[in-house]
Amino acid sequence: MAEARRFVCAALGVTEEQAALDAPEVDVHTDGWLLRFAEGGLPLCEPYGVGVVFEGLRPVRVEDLSEAEEIED
């Protein structure tokens, strides 16, 4: 989780204090996994948080979830 936090901050050019990423959740898919910080102090984090896409154990991409559509149950 700490590595994902550092990855997001480096990609966005902010400090960990500015990002204030919290409430991590793991989403596993057939082709990989994503660590989503559901809360954060950046505009990018509204309303659904920000995701970090992993290949194995290595973070490879920040996923902007701000324009995602809500999934209904």
Side-chain angles (χ1 to χ4, degrees), residues 69-73:
E69 292 186 25
E70 187 174 0
I71 297 174
E72 306 261 341
D73 287 331

Side-chain angles (χ1 to χ4, degrees), residues 35-53:
L35 178 65
R36 179 175 77 99
F37 292 102
E39 299 175 4
L42 303 171
L44 176 72
C45 297
E46 293 299 323
Y48 302 114
V50 63
V52 181
V53 177

Side-chain angles (χ1 to χ4, degrees), residues 19-47:
L21 300 173
D22 200 13
E25 299 176 358
V26 175
D27 294 326
V28 179
H29 306 276
T30 57
D31 59 345
W33 64 286
L34 174 134
L35 178 65
R36 179 175 77 99
F37 292 102
E39 299 175 4
L42 303 171
L44 176 72
C45 297
E46 293 299 323

